[in-house]
Amino acid sequence: MLVIGAGTAGAVIARQLHRAGLATLLVGRPGAGLRPGESLPGAARPLLRDLGLLSVLDHSAALPNLGNLVSWDSDTLQPTDFIQDPHGLGWHLDRPRFDACLLEAARSDGVLHIEAQVNRVQRLSEGWRVGTQAGDFSAGFVVDASGRHGVLRRRLGLARICDTPLVAVYASARDAHEDHRTVLEATPEGWWYSACLPGGRRIAVLHTDAGNASRLIHTPSLWHQGLAGTRYLQHWCRASEGWSPLSATGAGGGALCTAQGPDWLAVGDAALAFDPLSSQGIFNALYTALRGAQAVVAHHRGDQLGAQAYSGQLHQVREHYLRRVRYYYQAQTRWPQAHFWRLRRNEALRA
Ligand SMILES: Cc1cc2nc3c(=O)[nH]c(=O)nc-3n(C[C@H](O)[C@H](O)[C@H](O)COP(=O)(O)OP(=O)(O)OC[C@H]3O[C@@H](n4cnc5c(N)ncnc54)[C@H](O)[C@@H]3O)c2cc1C
């Protein structure tokens, strides 16, 4: 087995496959530096427990997430208190550290890890050859855990459904606010959130159209003006100091038409990616790693239906997700002429 990508999904599925007795090679560089994707809902607790990975939260110094404050379909700021959530509090993660702990858990269980970028994937008459700067590796079965980049999809030309494009433009700063809840606010040009990060920092992210994102990256002062112009979020960011340079990343939802083939399977964002509004991405990376590993093990024992059932399960998850995300975009009816919202409302109405 060869797993491409040493992020959340990759580290977890490699560990699960190794534990099931399958020789597994994990190839990829762990992420470093600031990246958005730091809120893990309390619903992940049983999943981490089943995986035997609950201790990773302590080891990565995750902070409790007490709740959200949201201004979405009205001018008021509505609190959601996670104490009332049956799953309990969520967490704010130091994401590179969280992923590094998952990788360490895989390595210390015995997974062989090659820290290298995959730059070639070739299908042979039987199995695969995967090329990296550290050399070429052969495998009978490949798992794509390379995130939205989707290494296998690009190499094989696999069909992927892409939802309305969405770009996240973000920066971090030293955090000076005492309220550590996540704040989310809709504005005419898109929606913002700000969350605290372990280590005394705070991230602020604007989700907007590609055209607007490119304008902000070229003229960062416009992003800072947008932040200062928010009704609520600015109060969590006002005293923040030393903003990092702006970065941008694709954040739109999407899914492979099928998440598996006779000798491959995709997990995490490589299989099914969500709009960050859902806060579901890390949970999905863990869940698909767990279920994906079960499907690969079944396949190895000659049960071909397990992987198809896995793909069908992801299809159902996506249908459920689409209903929810469309509901939220439709509910936001302020600024009917704003391009960002018109596009999303029309899409929800067409569905
Ligand atoms: C703006 C934004 C905010 C978000 N906020 C949240 C949130 O609050 N909560 C939440 O749950 N989710 C959030 N998400 C989603 C979440 O970050 C992802 O769903 C999650 O990271 C998916 O994990 P993954 O392991 O599938 O992919 P990734 O975390 O992307 O990991 C993929 C790995 O593959 C590696 N890789 C890529 N190409 C190659 C290659 N050629 N060779 C080797 N390795 C390669 C990468 O370096 C990386 O280490 C957010 C996403 C965005 C964009």
Side-chain angles (χ1 to χ4, degrees):
M1 303 286 150
L2 188 147
V3 177
I4 303 174
T8 307
V12 173
I13 194 167
R15 179 171 171 271
Q16 292 298 104
L17 293 174
H18 179 83
R19 288 187 144 207
L22 301 180
T24 305
L25 179 65
L26 173 62
V27 184
R29 284 211 181 91
L34 174 69
R35 51 182 295 222
E38 63 297 305
S39 299
L40 185 62
R45 192 185 309 270
L47 196 47
L48 284 166
R49 197 182 44 229
D50 290 353
L51 287 162
L53 289 169
L54 254 184
S55 60
V56 164
L57 292 166
D58 283 338
H59 294 154
S60 65
L63 296 176
N65 186 3
L66 303 177
N68 293 335
L69 292 161
V70 179
S71 170
W72 186 256
D73 49 356
S74 84
D75 277 350
T76 56
L77 195 61
Q78 306 280 354
T80 315
D81 193 339
F82 290 164
I83 286 172
Q84 289 161 14
D85 189 313
H87 297 293
L89 301 180
W91 298 274
H92 293 294
L93 305 177
D94 174 336
R95 197 60 200 293
R97 205 163 158 192
F98 178 75
D99 284 358
C101 286
L102 292 176
L103 181 56
E104 191 42 47
R107 275 189 192 137
S108 61
D109 269 13
V111 170
L112 189 58
H113 173 226
I114 306 285
E115 194 166 329
Q117 185 84 4
V118 169
N119 44 34
R120 283 185 320 281
V121 180
Q122 193 187 350
R123 200 173 216 154
L124 308 174
S125 52
E126 265 185 50
W128 303 83
R129 180 176 298 133
V130 173
T132 75
Q133 303 96 323
D136 286 6
F137 303 94
S138 302
F141 196 100
V142 167
V143 174
D144 189 357
S146 62
R148 283 164 192 265
H149 184 68
V151 170
L152 211 57
R153 166 176 61 86
R154 286 171 197 263
R155 302 291 163 181
L156 299 187
L158 301 172
R160 182 179 190 263
I161 303 163
C162 293
D163 301 335
T164 308
L166 181 71
V167 179
V169 185
Y170 60 94
S172 77
R174 200 181 66 76
D175 185 21
H177 207 283
E178 283 170 7
D179 187 341
H180 284 171
R181 286 173 292 181
T182 298
V183 188
L184 192 150
E185 179 172 345
T187 66
E189 60 180 351
W191 59 272
W192 290 83
Y193 81 79
S194 181
C196 68
L197 302 172
R201 293 192 69 79
R202 164 168 296 282
I203 189 168
V205 187
L206 171 64
H207 300 80
T208 189
D209 294 321
N212 191 37
S214 137
R215 206 166 60 92
L216 299 174
I217 287 293
H218 287 108
T219 318
S221 58
L222 294 176
W223 183 90
H224 289 280
Q225 275 171 31
L227 178 59
T230 54
R231 183 187 288 260
Y232 298 108
L233 200 111
Q234 56 151 315
H235 299 296
W236 272 258
C237 299
R238 190 180 276 163
S240 302
E241 283 172 16
W243 283 97
S244 64
L246 289 192
S247 300
T249 185
L256 284 182
C257 291
T258 174
Q260 58 84 35
D263 49 4
W264 66 272
L265 181 130
V267 289
D269 277 8
L272 175 58
F274 301 97
D275 184 318
L277 189 59
S278 71
S279 225
Q280 229 180 309
I282 307 170
F283 181 93
N284 180 62
L286 297 168
Y287 177 77
T288 53
L290 179 66
R291 292 278 171 257
Q294 290 167 349
V296 175
V297 171
H299 175 275
H300 190 71
R301 292 184 181 142
D303 169 9
Q304 310 302 328
L305 297 178
Q308 286 169 26
Y310 164 79
S311 194
Q313 218 173 4
L314 293 205
H315 185 72
Q316 284 173 12
V317 171
R318 177 164 157 83
E319 288 300 309
H320 180 71
Y321 151 77
L322 282 175
R323 277 195 296 278
R324 281 179 65 91
V325 85
R326 284 175 182 151
Y327 167 82
Y328 281 110
Y329 278 115
Q330 245 181 317
Q332 204 302 107
T333 53
R334 298 176 288 165
W335 318 296
Q337 297 313 320
H339 178 254
F340 179 89
W341 296 104
R342 214 175 51 220
L343 201 64
R344 280 155 184 81
R345 252 198 330 278
N346 289 347
E347 191 195 45
L349 286 172
R350 270 200 310 274

